[in-house]
Amino acid sequence: IVPEDSSNCTVTYVQQAEAGGQLPAKIMDTQISRSLESVFKLRDKFNRDDEIDKIERDWLTEIMRNSDKEVYSSSELQFVASVRKKMEIVSEDLFKPLKSPDFRTEMSIAHVEGENNAYLKCEVILDTSVEECAAYNYTIMSRKRIKINDRPDIIRREVKHFNHHALENYLVKDLGFGLRPRKFMTKHVWQKTIDDKIVHVNQDVPHSELFEE
């Protein structure tokens, strides 16, 4: 058991196991999981994921409430403006209602003549503040969301931050069927507008500024 800091430590559990002869791989996998379950019980016992996530969200929420202190580069402002222009150019009358799985949530779709892509929209009223909602949406690497998105097809998922309001999200996904894994790189930027709205835009980028290619 090695201390990381005053409130964190790393536990390494090592055990010598007697296999007792040749055993099928599936049975061995089951036995290994059982023999190491004490580590999983420790993880559950001292699990503070919700608490840690809340601390991070509260920190970002406070930054968003004092967003006048955030300094945006010309490239960040241009990025936000270009994504907003592309999305907001679609007029409301083009959106056609879709059946929603939740009666409190409205879904719709729009097609623009000459474009192959569709525009999807989803609207819902939440019982929280603008800043709290935006902070949750922006913390894409919270412990809870990592657990939700922990799937066998996800080979790598990593985020690097430019600052408090901009980041890059690097994703490598196994598409299966013998295909080579596919890389996805998206840039995220949030910005508070003069009317106290918060826009969070993200878009695929061809090259990373933070990750080595």
Side-chain angles (χ1 to χ4, degrees), residues 30-190:
T30 302
Q31 295 303 315
I32 290 173
S33 297
R34 288 178 179 175
S35 64
L36 299 178
E37 66 178 357
S38 59
V39 179
F40 297 100
K41 289 180 178 179
L42 273 174
R43 176 69 178 90
D44 290 338
K45 169 64 178 178
F46 296 102
N47 183 1
R48 297 171 55 221
D49 288 351
D50 290 342
E51 179 185 347
I52 300 297
D53 284 349
K54 186 178 185 304
I55 291 173
E56 182 182 7
R57 287 197 310 272
D58 289 347
W59 169 81
L60 183 56
T61 296
E62 193 61 27
I63 290 175
M64 290 178 168
R65 285 177 176 151
N66 298 278
S67 60
D68 55 313
K69 299 179 182 178
E70 292 296 296
V71 179
Y72 291 78
S73 67
S74 58
S75 61
E76 290 172 345
L77 294 174
Q78 185 179 6
F79 180 81
V80 173
S82 64
V83 176
R84 289 190 66 181
K85 181 179 179 181
K86 181 167 63 177
M87 302 304 294
E88 293 173 355
I89 199 173
V90 186
S91 59
E92 287 293 329
D93 60 299
L94 290 178
F95 283 95
K96 308 302 180 185
L98 293 173
K99 185 177 180 180
S100 173
D102 186 340
F103 72 92
R104 296 158 295 191
T105 305
E106 296 181 358
M107 298 170 53
S108 56
I109 186 171
H111 294 89
V112 176
E113 187 176 353
E115 292 191 21
N116 294 325
N117 297 325
Y119 293 81
L120 303 173
K121 184 168 68 171
C122 187
E123 292 181 309
V124 65
I125 296 176
L126 303 178
D127 298 322
T128 189
S129 69
V130 168
E131 293 84 4
E132 288 172 336
C133 176
Y136 177 87
N137 197 53
Y138 190 73
T139 52
I140 58 179
M141 289 294 283
S142 67
R143 294 187 177 190
K144 181 178 181 179
R145 293 170 80 170
I146 289 175
K147 185 177 181 179
I148 292 174
N149 295 315
D150 183 21
R151 305 192 309 268
D153 59 320
I154 302 300
I155 299 174
R156 180 182 176 186
R157 182 192 300 274
E158 187 177 353
V159 160
K160 290 187 178 181
H161 294 260
F162 291 96
N163 44 52
H164 294 155
H165 57 258
L167 62 81
E168 283 185 345
N169 180 29
Y170 182 43
L171 177 69
V172 182
K173 187 174 182 180
D174 183 3
L175 301 178
F177 305 104
L179 299 174
R180 295 182 60 184
R182 186 173 177 184
K183 300 178 182 179
F184 300 88
M185 183 69 66
T186 56
K187 185 175 183 178
H188 294 244
V189 180
W190 66 263

Side-chain angles (χ1 to χ4, degrees), residues 10-28:
T10 297
V11 175
T12 303
Y13 182 84
V14 181
Q15 181 184 54
Q16 183 180 25
E18 174 58 53
Q22 296 290 335
L23 290 175
K26 288 185 177 180
I27 295 179
M28 280 299 298

